[in-house]
Amino acid sequence: MEFASGRMGGIPMDMLDPSLFPEGHRPPPPPPPPQQQQNQDVEMGDYASDDDDDEEGDYDDGEESDVSDMSADSDAMELRAEVARFDKQQEEFVARQRAEASGVPYQQVPSSSLSSSKQQAAPPAEKKKTTKGRVIIAKGRKRKSKTIKGPRQAVKPSPDILFRLNLAQQAFQKGDYRSTMTMLSEIIRINSEVIHAWVLLSSVHEVLENRSQAVMCRITAAHLAPRDVPQWIATAEYCLEGVEAMEDDEEGNQPPEKMEALKRAYACYSQALEVDRTNIQARVARADVIMMMGNQQSRALGEYQKALGYRPWNIRTVRNIADVALDVKDLKKGAGVARGAYRKLIDHLMERGPFEAEEGRFEWSDLRIYLEFFGTLELWREGLRELKEIARWLLGRREEDYWVGFDDGERGDDDREWDVGEERRLGVEGFVPGKFPRESYGLGMPTDLRAKMFVYRCKLGFQETEAGRHLQLLDPTRQEDFMDFPDCLKDIAVALLDQNKAGEAKLFLDLYKHIADTEGTASIDADFLVCQGRYHISLGEKQTAEECFIAAIEDDEDHIEARVQLANMYEGEQEQEGREEAFLLVHEAMNLQAKLGPRKRRGPYGPRKNTGPRKPRKPRDPNAPKSKYVPRRLLNAEKRRQQEIEQTKEATKNFQLLQEVEGRALLGDDEAKASWMKAAKSLVDDFRSYKRFYPWDKYIKFLGYVNPAEGGQQAVPARNLKLAAMEERLRQNLAPADGADPAAAAPANKPQYKIPQEHRGIPFSSWLDIFLNYAFALVRAGQHRDAYAVCHAARDSVVWTSIDNTFLIHVAWASCAVYAGDEETCVAIARYFMRDYRPGTDSYRMFSAMCRVCQTPVSWYTSGPAQKFILRQIKTMDNIVMRQQQQSPSQGGGQDDSIGLDVCLLTIYGHILFTTTSYTYALSYFARAASIDPTNCLINLSTGLAYIHYALKRQATNRQYLLTQGFAFLYRYYADRLAQAAENSSAGQRQEAHFNMARAYSLIGLNNLAVEYYKKVLEEEEEEAMVPGVVDREENEEEWKGGLADEDLRVEAAYNVRSMGYLLGDVEGAAGVVKRWMVLE
């Protein structure tokens, strides 16, 4: 809610607590004119003197309490306020009379300019003017409009408001917060545009620890001064207080309180930018808030670019752009923006001379950040050139620009400028020994940047020349050189491993491990484990390398490089199983890349601020979701056997736990339910991860892979081209050709695997029970999608392929869909029964029953796919019957009487058309069904209702005929149903017949006839009690209803009678029906 702007100058600032305003943002009051100042002195001067006297007297009298002090002051101040209000009204009356006497329309003057002694009427104007709204029109002149832009000014606080605000201030200073809130609420009720009342109310809520309400009060106060940019910024900063202390949950999601605070701060900064778009503080702060929200890096980058446009030499903004650039989706674009911003700032600082920029100084750490973009985009030549140029400038030798010729120029391509000795520099034209200290050459280059030069030279192909010279200066025996930059040791080792120099790489890896173990300035992370794994691969120790890569994945489950290295190692195996696992690893790496976006870059190398012991790493949550696939192919036979034994023990333990807690879980024990669900999930995941129980395409689908050729979407749009090419190569080698049989595509020399009768010591029948019971438990817990996935996994397995198992799986699947109220899945499962399992009357009835019990709108029951499927079934039956009728006995023998038109199928399609209001077409199918079974009560009822509904349509041509036809079929249904009820001695069937006739009469508005049939429904039980030989309802409820389960229609009939009586004005009769038939015991 926004309020109009108002000036705070009208309120005496000495009556407000200065602490209520943010430091530096207290709005100064505008200086009043002399006349207004004199009047204010007259009005307010006595206040202070009299109050002081009262306070002194109260202070001397020690017997008076604080309440009596406030009461005395209140009476005096209220009296003076009333006097001031009376004087103001008197002055306005006198001014109005004088203006009317002069023939000039009265214009109200602000009260501050009125004075009983000096107020004079305005002299009569030469030309008479008229006013209309805010436009002054002078006769004889052209109309000139005076437009007032912006919101209207707030109403000036009256003396009564000032008096109440003063009392609230006194109560707040005394710590009486309840009274303060009461007074401020009354002030806001009288005039909600008093900004100081909202600020003071925010302070009260802050003291009472009502953080959310305090923030809302501050925001409301800022809306009262919408053009005050410092006020908006201060409000946003107030919203962000304590946000950094709010930690995210285990999955990385931000708490709702943090998101709400960030959204409010974003709105406040946006309001400030609407007033002043050039305010860099608000713009940068809004970009910071966007970054804190997460997953909005592109928006934050745009905000930083706008801020940089107003202040291009602000180094803090440039650093923010660099921080966000590598996290945007378009990596090339983000890196280009950051490089351009840094390069522009560097050129500006080079022209000026000093390193001082706005809000900071350009340092070596900025160079390290700048070079990260060249390494990420693999721009080795450009990165080396920028490194040498900026390092030369930082060391104070910018004037030696002749070294540029050695950057692949006319003088060569080497790094002699950065040698420790001067032998190679002495032969350079223009070099003057001693002009600059030796520390500004090779000795001044930081160790991590020299390591980066070594990496660049290795990438450019200078392994033996320039790269070798740099490597000689990077001595792994000098630990002190790498204490501040231990991460660069891994980069050196990687570059050496790329050159197949495993022995030299091991020296740097050992040094890094020693620093991590002793100094605590580094840690054994996933990157180090991958480097160590690559070292073992170069030595041919594949098993040890596999253990290193798997350890890296366990340390960081989102690590992509470890999976790629494992895939490269598995791809070289001769067995197809190795290539299959390589494909799974590559696909998982691509999924991670798509989920995480660009790889999170390691922080730029720089001096460690914390020289003490490293904080222990936060332990991983054991309940966090793990990867579905953990490869261990290269273990020896003994280790594999030991691993299988451990997994079998774990499965046996979970299975025993299931059996122990199953009884208590069924009785409703929550703890037992949780234990059962956890154990069942572990068992189901273990079974699903066993590759031999599933076809290859089903197995990789379980792992999350969808073939793009089958209509799926690729995991990532080729962000990493090498990964995408490797994944496509493996997929083509593993997948069968289009249209080929997967079984025929398998290698001929691959041994056929015989499926056992048990797994982990548990028979497959028990495994199926675990799957289906787990699906039931999931759907009861509200996770119906997961329940469907479990049923789908059971169906896809090659273990349960028999008809009985497949039928049981689909029945459980249908039960889950019914429980979840998922009509779409119900229709899909019912189509399986009608098409694949056993087409016939029972399958068609199951389709109707499943759609009936779903408490959802009939959207999928009447959908196009369902209609077309049922119609195809009818056409298939019609073709079979027509061929049988046309076929003579001599041509094909006798006819198969078991195949013919199914009444249930025709009726279902008629009901679908009936539900879609296609009554004419529905009647034709009902007629076909009636021709086969003319005494079927359901067909006659459906036909009668179709005629009646058709008669009620606007396009009906002969309503009388349609109604007559409809009731003819209804009476036929009524007679047949009563005959069946008499034969079965079922009162429930008679209730049904009476109720349907009553509903039909009520449908066409004949309520008097409908009531008679409703009465028969209500009196059915009493009539049956008086007939001898009839089943008593209390003795046998089910037999009395005739197998209609719980469908007793008395309550429905009583409700309809009550509604009709109430609408017709018979309130007493309706109340009597409710008391007799609708009271729940």
Side-chain angles (χ1 to χ4, degrees), residues 601-669:
R601 57 191 174 90
R602 188 171 63 245
Y605 309 134
R608 302 277 180 171
K609 296 181 180 179
N610 300 326
T611 57
R614 186 179 180 88
K615 294 183 179 179
R617 183 174 180 177
K618 185 178 179 182
R620 186 180 181 275
D621 184 11
N623 298 323
K626 296 182 179 180
S627 175
K628 297 179 181 178
Y629 174 72
V630 179
R632 291 186 185 272
R633 281 196 43 78
L634 301 179
L635 299 176
N636 56 36
E638 181 61 26
K639 289 186 177 181
R640 284 193 178 186
R641 190 176 65 84
Q642 188 65 27
Q643 194 178 70
E644 286 292 328
I645 292 175
E646 293 178 358
Q647 293 177 356
T648 302
K649 289 181 179 179
E650 183 69 21
T652 304
K653 179 182 176 181
N654 289 327
F655 184 67
Q656 292 176 354
L657 179 62
L658 283 182
Q659 294 176 331
E660 292 174 0
V661 303
E662 186 174 6
R664 291 188 287 119
L666 292 175
L667 294 177
D669 188 352

Side-chain angles (χ1 to χ4, degrees), residues 10 31-41 112-113 156:
Q35 181 68 24
Q36 181 178 354
Q37 183 67 39
Q38 181 179 358
N39 295 337
Q40 288 182 355
D41 294 339
S112 58
S113 62
K156 179 185 176 182

Side-chain angles (χ1 to χ4, degrees), residues 231-511:
Q231 180 73 13
W232 282 115
I233 296 177
T235 304
E237 294 174 351
Y238 182 76
C239 295
L240 293 176
E241 291 181 2
V243 169
E244 296 181 356
M246 301 179 184
E247 297 182 355
D248 299 344
D249 57 13
E250 297 173 352
E251 298 180 358
N253 300 323
Q254 295 180 349
E257 299 82 6
K258 184 176 181 180
M259 286 300 300
E260 186 67 23
L262 292 176
K263 291 179 180 178
R264 289 174 177 174
Y266 177 82
C268 292
Y269 284 128
S270 299
Q271 288 291 116
L273 290 175
E274 287 186 5
V275 179
D276 183 8
R277 304 186 66 85
T278 62
N279 192 295
I280 190 172
Q281 180 182 0
R283 194 168 293 281
V284 172
R286 186 168 75 167
D288 295 340
V289 170
I290 294 174
M291 281 297 298
M292 295 173 68
M293 290 181 176
N295 297 326
Q296 301 187 36
Q297 291 83 0
S298 299
R299 288 184 57 195
L301 182 62
E303 289 293 334
Y304 286 132
Q305 284 184 268
K306 292 179 182 178
L308 195 66
Y310 295 112
R311 295 185 181 179
W313 322 127
N314 190 291
I315 194 169
R316 178 178 177 270
T317 306
V318 175
R319 290 169 179 169
N320 290 335
I321 290 177
D323 187 48
V324 124
L326 291 179
D327 294 331
V328 298
K329 292 183 178 180
D330 192 346
L331 182 61
K332 185 176 181 180
K333 178 181 177 182
V337 171
R339 287 172 51 202
Y342 254 119
R343 186 68 249 185
K344 186 176 181 180
L345 176 64
I346 292 170
D347 293 340
H348 173 72
L349 295 178
M350 285 183 175
E351 292 179 1
R352 292 181 53 192
F355 307 129
E356 295 293 335
E358 185 178 352
E359 291 193 35
R361 177 185 177 90
F362 191 92
E363 301 173 348
W364 288 101
S365 59
D366 294 296
L367 175 57
R368 297 181 178 100
I369 296 173
Y370 181 48
L371 295 176
E372 283 288 316
F373 300 103
F374 297 94
T376 302
L377 300 179
E378 299 182 357
L379 301 175
W380 317 117
R381 173 67 66 183
E382 293 81 354
L384 180 62
R385 184 182 300 114
E386 294 290 329
L387 190 158
K388 293 194 289 185
E389 179 186 359
I390 299 174
R392 185 185 312 123
W393 169 55
L394 290 174
L395 292 172
R397 296 186 294 106
R398 183 173 180 268
E399 60 184 72
E400 291 187 348
D401 53 357
Y402 51 83
W403 295 112
V404 179
F406 291 92
D407 295 335
D408 196 16
E410 66 276 3
R411 294 190 175 187
D413 189 4
D414 57 49
D415 302 327
R416 66 181 65 189
E417 176 188 1
W418 303 104
D419 293 347
V420 175
E422 295 187 350
E423 291 78 7
R424 292 200 299 171
R425 286 198 294 268
L426 292 175
V428 177
E429 182 181 355
F431 175 72
V432 179
K435 182 177 181 180
F436 294 99
R438 295 186 61 183
E439 289 77 9
S440 62
Y441 292 94
L443 295 176
M445 177 66 69
T447 304
D448 64 317
L449 295 181
R450 185 171 293 280
K452 197 170 287 293
M453 294 179 69
F454 165 72
V455 173
Y456 287 164
R457 282 300 179 182
C458 290
K459 296 294 183 180
L460 294 174
F462 295 85
Q463 292 87 354
E464 302 299 334
T465 55
E466 296 303 317
R469 293 178 183 273
H470 291 301
L471 187 61
Q472 291 176 1
L473 298 176
L474 298 170
D475 188 0
T477 61
R478 295 177 56 84
Q479 178 178 336
E480 61 276 6
D481 293 345
F482 299 93
M483 290 299 299
D484 292 335
F485 317 102
D487 289 334
C488 69
L489 292 169
K490 293 183 287 188
D491 291 341
I492 298 172
V494 170
L496 291 172
L497 289 172
D498 291 338
Q499 304 174 41
N500 297 324
K501 297 180 180 180
E504 298 180 25
K506 187 176 185 302
L507 298 176
F508 292 94
L509 292 176
D510 291 342
L511 177 59

Side-chain angles (χ1 to χ4, degrees), residues 34-35 38-39 91 98 113-121:
Q35 181 68 24
Q38 181 179 358
N39 295 337
E91 292 172 359
R98 290 178 178 177
S113 62
L114 294 176
S115 175
S116 57
S117 60
K118 297 182 179 182
Q119 180 71 29
Q120 300 294 333

Side-chain angles (χ1 to χ4, degrees), residues 934-942 944-945 966-982 986-1001 1009-1017 1020 1023 1049:
T935 60
N936 191 306
C937 297
L938 178 61
I939 297 175
N940 291 327
L941 175 63
S942 301
L945 291 177
F967 276 97
F969 281 98
L970 285 176
Y971 275 109
R972 183 181 299 176
Y973 150 77
Y974 185 66
D976 293 341
R977 198 58 169 167
L978 291 180
Q980 292 180 1
S986 173
Q989 293 180 356
R990 281 194 296 274
Q991 275 192 346
E992 176 202 323
H994 300 325
F995 186 83
N996 285 330
M997 291 300 298
R999 287 289 299 146
Y1001 279 115
L1009 298 178
V1011 170
E1012 298 299 327
Y1013 284 97
Y1014 283 133
K1015 288 181 180 179
K1016 292 181 180 182
V1017 176
E1020 189 63 41
E1023 294 178 1
L1049 301 175

Side-chain angles (χ1 to χ4, degrees), residues 839-842 844 874 877 900-907 929 932:
T841 302
D842 292 338
Y844 302 140
I874 295 175
M877 287 190 176
L901 293 176
D902 193 289
V903 177
C904 184
L905 183 62
L906 295 171
T907 307
I932 301 173

